[in-house]
Amino acid sequence: MASYISCPSLLTPRPTNPRYKIHQIRFFPAQPHLNFGQFRPKCCRIENCNHKQDKGFSWKECAISIALAFGLVTGVPTLGVPNHANATSMFDLGVLISGPPIKDPEALLRYALPIDNKAIREVQKPLEDITDSLKLAGVKALDSVERNVRQASRALKQGKSMIISGLAESKKDHGQELIDKLEAGMDELQQIVEDRNRDAVAPKQKELLQYVSGVEEDMVDGFPYEVPEEYQTLPLLKGRAAVDMKVKVKDNPNIEECVFRIVLDGYNAPVTAGNFVDLVERHFYDGMEIQRADGFVVQTGDPEGPAEGFIDPSTEKTRTIPLEIMVKGEKAPFYGATLEVSFFFLLELVHSAFTGHYELGLYKAQTKLPFNAFGTMAMARDEFENNSASSQVFWLLKESELTPSNANILDGRYAVFGYVTENEDYLADLKVGDVIESIQVVSGIDNLVNPSYKIASQ
C-alpha cells in the first residue's frame, strides 16, 4: 500500500519557464492554444476538409456564421482569461452537444474500460452522482444521497445476474467476491445516511466505487484487439498499470516532497503507455527536473543534451512512437492521424446554433480518454509530426468547464494515456526546477509486453 505524503499548497507565485510561452486564442471560450516548441502541443491549424453543402444554409446565415467563426478563431490572445461575452452562448451549445463533462479521473477510467455491461453502469452512475449531491446545502444533501443509494441498490439487485454473467470466466470468483462486498457496503451506506452522518458518506462512496471498478475490470477478458504489426515490437502495455511519482520540491518551506499516483491505460493506448512504463523501468525520469509549469500544463521528459527524446542504446537513435487515439465505438485505436477540427467544422457549428440541428459526423468521433480531468496525462510531440512523440509528457492543469468534450484543441490531437488519481490537485504547486526523485510501477508490470529495459539490463 503506497504511503502518501500530504502536500500543502504553495503560497508564493509560480515562475514561468522562460523557454516557453503560452499563445492562447479562443477556439471555444477559455480554451488555450499552446506553443510548446518542438515535441510540445501547439496551436491547431485551420485546414480544408471535404464539406457537404447544406441546401438550407442561406447566404445571410453563411455571412453571420463566417463572421462568428472568424471571431472565435482570431480572438485577442490572452493568458487564460475567458471571454465572458462569448462564454454563455458557446457554453449552452456545448451542453446541447455533449452534456456536462465527466471530470473525475477514476470515473473516466471506468468508462474507458472495454466492456459493454449496462447493468453495472446503472449501479455506477448513481454512486458517482453522490459527489454532486453532497454539494447541496443542509439536509437536502443527505436526502439526495439517499435517493442515489436507493437507485444504486435497486440497480444492483435487478441487474445482479447480468453483472455476474458479464464477468470473465477466469475472474468470476474475484468478481463475485467484490459484488458481495458491494452489496454489504451499500447497506452500510444506507445506514450512514439514516444516521445523518454526512462526513462518513464520501469515504464510503469511494470504497463502493472501488468495488465497482474492480468488478468492471474483472469483465475484461484478455486484451481486446491486435496492435498493428509495425508496432508490435515496441513495448506495449496490454492492460493497466499504476505508478507513483515522487517529486522533490525546491525552495518551499511548506513542502518537501509529494507522491502522485498515476493510472496508465493500456487498453486504449497500449503503445503510448507501454513506452512510458518501459522508460520508467529504465529509471529514465529519475532525477529529471520539471521543465515547464505555467498554470496550463506541467511537463518533463526532455533529457540533457541535444536530443529531445529517449535515445535507445541498442540503436543509438531516438525512439519515437505513433500518435495513438482511441475513439468511442471503435475496436482499436487510430494511429498516426489526428481528429482534426477544421474551418468548415466551425461554420457548421455556428450554423447549428442557429438552426438547432446537430447532425455532425465530427461530434460522433469522441475519444475514449478525453482531456477532461485535472491531471490528464498525455504525450508531447512536434506539431507537424504526428509520430514524433518519444519521452516528453505533460499533465493538464485545466478542467473542461466551458469547452465541450472532444470539441477542443487537445482531444484527438495528443495521445492521452492516463490520469493522476491521487494528489492531483498538487500538480499546480509544482514549478520549474522541482525534481522527480523517482517514478515506480506499483501494479500492472505484468501487463508490459516486449520490455526493452530488460534487454538493456542484460
Side-chain angles (χ1 to χ4, degrees):
M1 193 72 180
S3 172
Y4 295 106
I5 300 173
S6 178
C7 309
S9 297
L10 296 180
L11 302 178
T12 57
R14 294 183 292 276
T16 301
N17 187 345
R19 291 178 57 193
Y20 315 124
K21 296 180 181 179
I22 285 184
H23 299 277
Q24 179 186 15
I25 62 176
R26 284 184 295 277
F27 205 83
F28 287 97
Q31 184 61 47
H33 281 227
L34 303 177
N35 182 355
F36 280 65
Q38 195 174 22
F39 281 81
R40 295 167 174 87
K42 287 189 174 182
C43 299
C44 176
R45 299 189 303 281
I46 306 302
E47 298 176 350
N48 292 329
C49 69
N50 294 326
H51 174 65
K52 285 188 177 181
Q53 184 178 5
D54 187 341
K55 294 182 179 179
F57 196 14
S58 71
W59 284 107
K60 181 179 180 180
E61 289 174 336
C62 182
I64 295 173
S65 297
I66 290 174
L68 289 175
F70 184 78
L72 287 171
V73 175
T74 60
V76 179
T78 65
L79 292 176
V81 181
N83 185 335
H84 296 290
N86 292 336
T88 302
S89 61
M90 292 306 298
F91 172 71
D92 292 340
L93 178 58
V95 170
L96 286 173
I97 294 169
S98 62
I102 298 173
K103 297 184 291 183
D104 175 42
E106 295 190 19
L108 288 168
L109 287 164
R110 282 190 286 271
Y111 282 112
L113 283 168
I115 64 172
D116 184 19
N117 190 289
K118 184 179 179 181
I120 191 64
R121 297 299 194 198
E122 289 180 348
V123 176
Q124 173 185 332
K125 182 63 167 60
L127 288 176
E128 291 173 345
D129 288 344
I130 289 175
T131 300
D132 289 332
S133 295
L134 288 174
K135 294 177 182 178
L136 299 174
V139 296
K140 290 183 179 180
L142 288 175
D143 290 343
S144 182
V145 170
E146 187 171 18
R147 288 192 294 271
N148 297 143
V149 177
R150 287 178 178 174
Q151 184 180 349
S153 297
R154 183 167 58 250
L156 181 58
K157 291 177 182 178
Q158 294 176 349
K160 185 175 180 179
S161 60
M162 184 181 295
I163 294 171
I164 293 174
S165 65
L167 296 170
E169 196 61 40
S170 62
K171 304 176 183 178
K172 274 194 181 296
D173 290 343
H174 183 256
Q176 181 66 66
E177 180 182 344
L178 291 177
I179 292 170
D180 293 341
K181 290 181 178 180
L182 182 59
E183 283 185 308
M186 213 87 79
D187 292 337
E188 293 169 3
L189 181 54
Q190 180 64 43
Q191 187 61 52
I192 288 171
V193 175
E194 291 176 2
D195 293 341
R196 316 308 280 177
N197 185 358
R198 180 172 178 152
D199 292 341
V201 171
K204 179 57 69 172
Q205 175 207 22
K206 182 175 182 179
E207 177 188 329
L208 297 183
L209 284 172
Q210 287 174 342
Y211 295 147
V212 170
S213 295
V215 170
E216 292 179 353
E217 289 174 7
D218 286 344
M219 291 178 172
V220 182
D221 190 8
F223 195 69
Y225 56 87
E226 285 293 328
V227 173
E229 185 176 355
E230 59 264 43
Y231 309 128
Q232 287 183 4
T233 59
L234 291 171
L236 306 174
L237 186 65
K238 291 192 171 183
R240 286 185 174 168
V243 301
D244 280 351
M245 180 174 71
K246 182 187 293 186
V247 180
K248 179 74 172 180
V249 179
K250 293 181 176 180
D251 304 324
N252 180 25
N254 298 318
I255 180 176
E256 290 189 355
E257 64 181 23
C258 188
V259 178
F260 302 92
R261 171 64 56 86
I262 308 169
V263 176
L264 310 172
D265 188 351
Y267 289 122
N268 295 289
V271 177
T272 311
N275 174 73
F276 181 77
V277 173
D278 188 71
L279 293 178
V280 166
E281 289 297 292
R282 285 174 174 269
H283 303 285
F284 175 84
Y285 298 99
D286 294 2
M288 187 173 287
E289 293 185 350
I290 299 298
Q291 295 154 354
R292 177 176 182 169
D294 53 20
F296 182 63
V297 298
V298 168
Q299 184 166 329
T300 192
D302 186 356
E304 293 183 3
E308 293 179 301
F310 167 65
I311 302 297
D312 190 335
S314 64
T315 63
E316 297 184 350
K317 296 180 180 179
T318 302
R319 183 170 81 192
T320 58
I321 58 173
L323 179 63
E324 186 176 41
I325 307 291
M326 177 67 91
V327 172
K328 289 182 179 180
E330 297 293 331
K331 294 182 179 180
F334 289 108
Y335 290 91
T338 62
L339 305 180
E340 285 287 354
V341 177
S342 69
F343 178 69
F344 284 109
F345 167 81
L346 283 176
L347 293 185
E348 276 201 282
L349 179 66
V350 180
H351 176 224
S352 298
F354 280 95
T355 63
H357 298 296
Y358 298 98
E359 298 296 321
L360 297 182
L362 287 175
Y363 289 141
K364 298 176 183 178
Q366 297 184 350
T367 56
K368 289 288 289 290
L369 299 175
F371 280 93
N372 277 9
F374 193 100
T376 300
M377 185 177 187
M379 292 299 299
R381 63 172 178 83
D382 182 81
E383 178 186 6
F384 301 106
E385 295 291 339
N386 291 341
N387 298 334
S388 59
S390 179
S391 61
Q392 295 195 44
V393 299
F394 66 95
W395 294 270
L396 188 68
L397 301 185
K398 298 292 182 183
E399 293 177 340
S400 182
E401 290 286 357
L402 297 179
T403 302
S405 303
N406 302 292
N408 55 57
I409 64 165
L410 296 179
D411 284 327
R413 290 186 56 81
Y414 297 93
V416 175
F417 63 102
Y419 297 96
V420 180
T421 60
E422 295 282 351
N423 286 334
E424 63 268 24
D425 290 345
Y426 298 110
L427 284 169
D429 294 330
L430 301 184
K431 59 186 182 297
V432 173
D434 289 343
V435 177
I436 299 173
E437 290 189 331
S438 66
I439 306 181
Q440 296 181 330
V441 179
V442 294
S443 67
I445 190 62
D446 292 342
N447 293 327
L448 184 65
V449 179
N450 306 328
S452 71
Y453 73 89
K454 288 188 175 181
I455 298 174
S457 64
Q458 290 177 354

